Amino acid sequence: VASIEIPRREWQELIAKLLGNMTQQGAPAPLKQATLEALGYVCEEISPEHLEQDQVNAVLTAVVQGMNQTELSPEVRLAAVKALYNALDFAESNFANEMERNYIMKVICDTAVSKEVEIRQAAFECLVAIASTYYVHLDPYMQTIFNLTANAVKGDEEAVALQAIEFWSTICDEEIELQEEYEGSDDANSTVNYRFIEKALPSLVPMLLETLLKQEEDQDQDDNVWNISMSGGTCLGLIARTVGDAIVPLVMPFVEGNITKPDWHCREAATFAFGSILEGPSVEKLAPLVQAGFDFLLNTTKDPNSQVRDTTAWTLGRVFELLHSPASANPIITSANLTRIMTVLLESSKDVPNVAEKVCGAIYFLAQGYEDAESISSVLTPFLPNLIAALLSAADRADTTHFRLRASAYEALNEIVRVSNISETSGIIGQLLQEIMRRLNLTFDLHILSSGDKEKQSDLQALLCGVLQVIIQKLSSSDAKSIIAQTADQLMFLFLHVFACHSSTVHEEAMLAIGALAYATGTDFVKYMPEFFKYLEAGLQNYEEYQVCSISVGVVGDICRALEDKILPFCDGIMTVLLKDLSNSMLNRSVKPPIFSCFGDIALAIGDNFEKYLPYAMPMLQGAAELLAVLDHTDEDMVDYGNQLRRGIFEAYSGILQGIKGAKAQLMIPYASHLLQFTEAVYKDRSRDESVTKAAVAVLGDLADTLGSSSKDLFKSNLFHVEFLRECHDLDDEVRDTASWAQGMINQALVS
Amino acid sequence: MAPPPPHRPYKRPAISDQQRRRDLALQAQSARRADAQARARSLANSLLSPSSAAADTAVE
């Protein structure tokens, strides 16, 4: 009730009433406990701006009193710490005040050594929350907190130790964010980075390395397990990202000292430590270590203990992800060791499911290394048939309890297809296409007895549609396009069948695949439209699952380019839904810029038939342009969004201008002046990015091109374009070329 | 304040392939849109150039 009424200022006496329970002489412990719990819930539900500062002060006073050691009831003290956790967001001005902050921190640190484990855990949870919300105020308390966390990690119950480690992981999060935010900037107002991690490094790292030796048996099998060794390794990884090279000499002696010990805990901990520090330090620092230990790592895939093998496969994946770069002067993978690596990976893909899953991940990243160089990816060609066979068989044997192996196997397959040298492998990829289609067909015959069965069917169909999308995209970009043309009917039959399963993930994946198919088949796609249209329309209407909506908008663009004016019979339906989406405040805002771009795609496809939509589309474009004028420029996300919206609006205008050009060009005259004003506003806005600049100058050219002499006076009276186009000559080639083209069009208009 | 997540991702890659599929599809779409618009613009250029009288007539 409070969460509804307090924001409307309708229950102002609630807080005072609750606090009365706390200050009442001789209030019974259960009343105090219930009161603190109620205060905690209220703070959890409402936002800081809904409480006055004096109310916040009173809440904090009551909560801190409840935490005091003189309070005899542990239940009351626990309720108080939990209430404090929820009230921390409200305490901004209290944390800004040194005396109040000192007091709150002292009470929390005292509570962190209470004799009740639950209370200690809750106190550490408060410290974690403070690390993220009030990092800037933490400096004076760090020595005390370090001692508290070190004791907790060494000797306290696991629930408390986990929070103590989480405190340091959170400090890493903050410092990584600070480094990323202010990288290369000399902004004097930037938030201070205390480099707590760097300072604590010599004590912190040994403390965490110790935790790695506390593994449980079979811990990698269950997603719900979270224990001290997992948490310690994760924190170590974050520390590596925070401090870079400095962590390496602190960790390597532990790796070297444990990697060959008879106890599997030691071997696993050593491998986990090594794998954890691979992101952060420089390639120069890590590459020699990886090269020296690489053969050892490959051998460890045969370790008798499956947890060691699991961590080894994961570490190999990290090596490939972070350090494998065929173009580098000193590559990790060479023609000399590739065959051995492949043999090991193929063999290990038959290991127990959790290990095989990590091996699939390693194959994924190994393939990804060849992404930017199709010619280099030829080195994978001889291994392709065996890799595909191994991954298909890994996907097949994934039993019902290990869905992730199946997902990893298909995703590795996707990456292999993406990087393959298609001129050498189109035959193999064509066969794979047939096999994946066969598998998708089989999913329709699965016996569905429960919602769990249905979910598994949908998940599998989504994965298979994903593979089909990747294959279609790959083949359609090559001379092997004919394979798609020959199988398009079967593919479309399968996708339409998949739509009948009502799952948003499947819907999205099938949509993506259909977009690729439309591009590959061109105008032939028109024969599928009558049947497909209802699913497309449903996708466009699905504002609740906005990813489906977003992908569907993109597919409309694909279909426009494929069908050109053959899309006309479907445009009334499409435009109706798109216009509705634009007005829908429940639809995620990220979908709206692509909808504008989509207007441009439609107009470009149907030419001056777009005339009938002008009275609806143009006010939307003008409204969005006006909205941009009042956008909050201090919010980075809004600046990004503003740029997306501007690009969408310009792409819409470009498509519409080019589409309408010709006999009906005069229809655009009433909109020209507004468009120029908007373009001028964008020109003056320094937050525009280069893609917006390019779209803006393109639209200037389109306007001149479409309206010709009718735009002469407009360009003469709005001279900002002179300076705008001149500035573009200092930008990259694409913008410069577009600007030159636009200049040519404007010159033609001016002399006409 | 939302309750903390049960735990951090453990031995998991940061980016999902599904997100990659979306991103790559999006990239391909904007590249094709740019191509389509560039084609329309180069048609405009060719119609304006002196050597395209034949094309001009054909369009008319």
Side-chain angles (χ1 to χ4, degrees):
Chain A
V1 175
S3 74
I4 298 166
E5 298 205 347
I6 289 187
R8 298 149 117 187
R9 315 256 162 211
E10 284 178 359
W11 198 8
Q12 291 301 287
E13 69 279 17
L14 170 69
I15 300 292
K17 267 199 172 139
L18 285 172
L19 292 171
N21 292 341
M22 297 300 294
T23 47
Q24 203 181 105
Q25 271 293 326
L31 176 64
K32 288 204 234 170
Q33 181 189 344
T35 301
L36 286 164
E37 280 168 0
L39 279 171
Y41 290 138
V42 171
C43 290
E44 192 174 358
E45 288 294 322
I46 62 176
S47 305
E49 69 267 21
H50 296 136
L51 283 190
E52 301 298 335
Q53 188 56 45
D54 58 342
Q55 288 178 309
V56 174
N57 293 345
V59 169
L60 287 172
T61 308
V63 164
V64 166
Q65 258 172 22
M67 286 168 71
N68 201 295
Q69 296 300 318
T70 56
E71 171 58 58
L72 295 175
S73 159
E75 288 80 14
V76 171
R77 279 190 282 123
L78 180 60
V81 194
K82 288 188 170 171
L84 177 64
Y85 178 87
N86 287 316
L88 282 171
D89 268 354
F90 295 76
E92 196 179 342
S93 62
N94 309 81
F95 264 85
N97 177 313
E98 190 187 345
M99 221 166 70
E100 291 184 40
R101 183 176 68 231
N102 282 345
Y103 188 62
I104 296 171
M105 291 302 291
K106 182 181 177 318
V107 173
I108 296 174
C109 291
D110 289 348
T111 311
V113 290
S114 300
K115 65 175 191 294
E116 298 83 1
V117 59
E118 262 195 281
I119 296 180
R120 293 200 300 278
Q121 180 187 345
F124 274 104
E125 280 170 10
C126 287
L127 288 176
V128 171
I130 289 168
S132 104
T133 313
Y134 300 115
Y135 172 89
V136 70
H137 295 307
L138 269 181
D139 193 34
Y141 316 104
M142 283 309 276
Q143 187 57 50
T144 311
I145 297 177
F146 179 83
N147 295 339
L148 284 171
T149 55
N151 289 336
V153 172
K154 269 182 207 134
D156 210 326
E157 300 283 333
E158 187 166 60
V160 184
L162 284 174
Q163 290 304 322
I165 296 175
E166 185 59 24
F167 172 84
W168 290 103
S169 292
T170 307
I171 295 287
C172 289
D173 289 340
E174 292 303 311
E175 296 193 347
I176 290 168
E177 199 181 321
L178 284 170
Q179 284 170 31
E180 282 170 358
E181 208 169 323
Y182 298 107
E183 206 171 1
S185 123
D186 47 3
D187 184 356
N189 297 323
S190 64
T191 312
V192 61
N193 182 347
Y194 288 111
R195 304 192 185 281
F196 292 135
I197 298 295
E198 202 177 291
K199 289 173 194 159
L201 205 58
S203 319
L204 202 52
V205 171
M207 172 179 102
L208 292 169
L209 289 172
E210 281 307 303
T211 68
L212 301 188
L213 294 157
K214 297 180 180 169
Q215 309 95 323
E216 292 168 37
E217 301 291 332
D218 294 333
Q219 65 181 19
D220 295 311
Q221 309 259 351
D222 188 349
D223 260 356
N224 298 318
V225 174
W226 183 241
N227 61 34
I228 192 157
S229 70
M230 293 165 139
S231 169
T234 306
C235 186
L236 201 63
L238 289 165
I239 292 178
R241 287 178 54 201
T242 312
V243 302
D245 287 359
I247 198 168
V248 177
L250 295 169
V251 170
M252 285 316 287
F254 178 85
V255 175
E256 285 151 8
N258 285 285
I259 197 92
T260 52
K261 281 196 176 160
D263 181 354
W264 73 263
H265 293 90
C266 301
R267 299 197 302 277
E268 198 277 340
T271 317
F272 192 29
F274 187 60
S276 296
I277 60 161
L278 290 175
E279 185 178 8
S282 61
V283 176
E284 293 72 29
K285 188 88 179 168
L286 290 173
L289 297 171
V290 169
Q291 271 154 347
F294 199 51
D295 211 45
F296 187 89
L297 214 49
L298 290 173
N299 286 333
T300 314
T301 58
K302 300 280 181 291
D303 194 281
N305 181 280
S306 75
Q307 272 173 251
V308 177
R309 297 200 302 277
D310 186 284
T311 304
T312 303
W314 170 77
T315 302
L316 280 172
R318 299 256 296 171
V319 167
F320 298 150
E321 179 187 2
L322 301 160
L323 299 163
H324 155 49
S325 165
S328 89
N330 204 2
I332 303 283
I333 300 176
T334 62
S335 54
N337 64 8
L338 183 59
T339 305
R340 168 147 159 73
I341 293 169
M342 283 298 182
T343 310
V344 165
L345 292 175
L346 289 170
E347 195 54 40
S348 295
S349 71
K350 298 177 203 144
D351 207 323
V352 292
N354 57 301
V355 179
E357 181 215 328
K358 310 294 188 306
V359 172
C360 292
I363 293 173
Y364 184 100
F365 289 117
L366 183 144
Q368 197 169 77
Y370 298 102
E371 194 176 23
D372 297 325
E374 202 165 272
S375 57
I376 307 179
S377 75
S378 286
V379 300
L380 288 183
T381 305
F383 303 99
L384 217 57
N386 285 343
L387 272 173
I388 291 174
L391 292 170
L392 287 174
S393 117
D396 266 343
R397 83 193 165 89
D399 57 27
T400 47
T401 60
H402 209 96
F403 175 76
R404 284 215 313 262
L405 169 56
R406 190 154 64 187
S408 292
Y410 283 125
E411 291 182 347
L413 211 50
N414 289 344
E415 197 56 23
I416 284 176
V417 172
R418 282 191 197 111
V419 306
S420 62
N421 185 321
I422 197 66
S423 60
E424 296 168 359
T425 58
S426 60
I428 308 170
I429 306 287
Q431 281 170 21
L432 179 61
L433 174 65
Q434 292 296 333
E435 173 59 20
I436 301 294
M437 281 165 48
R438 187 186 72 79
R439 286 174 179 230
L440 185 53
N441 210 7
L442 288 176
T443 64
F444 303 125
D445 300 330
L446 290 172
H447 289 290
I448 307 297
L449 298 170
S450 65
S451 60
D453 290 343
K454 176 88 193 140
E455 198 181 328
K456 273 175 216 152
Q457 182 195 37
S458 298
D459 287 344
L460 179 54
Q461 288 174 341
L463 288 170
L464 292 166
C465 285
V467 183
L468 289 176
Q469 182 223 342
V470 174
I471 295 178
I472 295 168
Q473 216 157 32
K474 186 74 186 182
L475 289 176
S476 61
S477 64
S478 74
D479 294 341
K481 212 173 179 170
S482 59
I483 298 177
I484 301 296
Q486 287 153 18
T487 42
D489 285 356
Q490 291 160 272
L491 280 164
M492 205 56 201
F493 170 80
L494 288 169
F495 295 144
L496 292 172
H497 206 149
V498 162
F499 280 128
C501 309
H502 299 284
S503 149
S504 65
T505 320
V506 184
H507 201 142
E508 185 187 334
E509 294 289 356
M511 246 333 152
L512 277 171
I514 285 176
L517 187 67
Y519 171 74
T521 51
T523 47
D524 287 346
F525 191 82
V526 74
K527 65 179 168 180
Y528 308 122
M529 279 304 284
E531 183 65 15
F532 170 56
F533 182 70
K534 60 181 175 210
Y535 298 113
L536 179 64
E537 200 175 30
L540 293 173
Q541 284 166 338
N542 192 349
Y543 64 88
E544 281 163 328
E545 285 148 331
Y546 76 93
Q547 292 280 15
V548 175
C549 186
S550 164
I551 298 294
S552 305
V553 171
V555 168
V556 172
D558 283 329
I559 294 173
C560 287
R561 287 180 285 276
L563 299 189
E564 298 190 340
D565 61 353
K566 289 195 174 66
I567 199 176
L568 192 56
F570 306 96
C571 283
D572 281 357
I574 293 171
M575 283 300 291
T576 306
V577 190
L578 290 180
L579 289 163
K580 250 190 209 158
D581 278 341
L582 281 178
S583 315
N584 185 349
S585 60
M586 313 270 276
L587 176 64
N588 187 295
R589 70 177 190 208
S590 67
V591 189
K592 298 191 175 179
I595 292 179
F596 286 125
S597 307
C598 192
F599 285 171
D601 297 338
I602 293 171
L604 203 55
I606 64 174
D608 60 15
N609 289 301
F610 197 80
E611 175 184 1
K612 65 195 277 200
Y613 305 121
L614 286 178
Y616 308 100
M618 300 314 278
M620 288 287 188
L621 288 169
Q622 292 175 345
E626 277 152 26
L627 184 80
L628 278 161
V630 292
L631 212 64
D632 177 6
H633 278 71
T634 57
D635 181 341
E636 216 174 292
D637 286 345
M638 285 315 276
V639 170
D640 274 355
Y641 180 65
N643 278 326
Q644 289 167 30
L645 204 52
R646 288 182 181 111
R647 197 166 54 241
I649 293 170
F650 284 131
E651 284 177 347
Y653 274 114
S654 277
I656 295 169
L657 283 163
Q658 288 165 11
I660 299 272
K661 189 168 70 179
K664 293 185 182 171
Q666 305 306 308
L667 288 170
M668 294 306 291
I669 291 178
Y671 308 109
S673 174
H674 189 279
L675 172 57
L676 275 180
Q677 281 166 27
F678 172 58
T679 314
E680 183 169 10
V682 172
Y683 162 61
K684 287 179 177 158
D685 185 339
R686 295 289 125 183
S687 67
R688 74 183 139 89
D689 65 26
E690 208 154 287
S691 71
V692 172
T693 304
K694 184 176 167 233
V697 293
V699 112
L700 288 174
D702 292 326
L703 187 67
D705 179 20
T706 298
L707 294 186
S709 59
S710 308
S711 64
K712 180 161 56 175
D713 292 341
L714 275 171
F715 280 112
K716 276 186 181 165
S717 55
N718 288 281
L719 286 170
F720 76 93
H721 63 88
V722 177
E723 191 58 18
F724 192 8
L725 294 175
R726 199 192 56 73
E727 282 178 20
C728 290
H729 287 286
D730 302 329
L731 301 174
D732 85 8
D733 288 355
E734 260 190 74
V735 183
R736 204 168 44 222
D737 291 350
T738 309
S740 302
W741 172 82
Q743 188 69 68
M745 288 294 142
I746 294 171
N747 291 346
Q748 296 266 9
L750 289 173
V751 299
S752 59
Chain B
M1 192 179 289
H7 60 74
R8 289 171 182 263
Y10 171 67
K11 293 189 191 171
R12 291 269 151 266
I15 300 171
S16 76
D17 192 68
Q18 187 187 23
Q19 192 54 46
R20 249 168 85 71
R21 287 199 292 280
R22 279 182 197 140
D23 294 345
L24 291 171
L26 214 63
Q27 266 176 35
Q29 280 161 359
S30 45
R32 285 171 205 154
R33 174 177 296 126
D35 278 357
Q37 295 197 347
R39 260 202 312 279
R41 287 180 191 126
S42 67
L43 184 66
N45 261 349
S46 70
L47 290 179
L48 286 166
S49 70
S51 61
S52 65
D56 240 353
T57 323
V59 167
E60 280 165 14

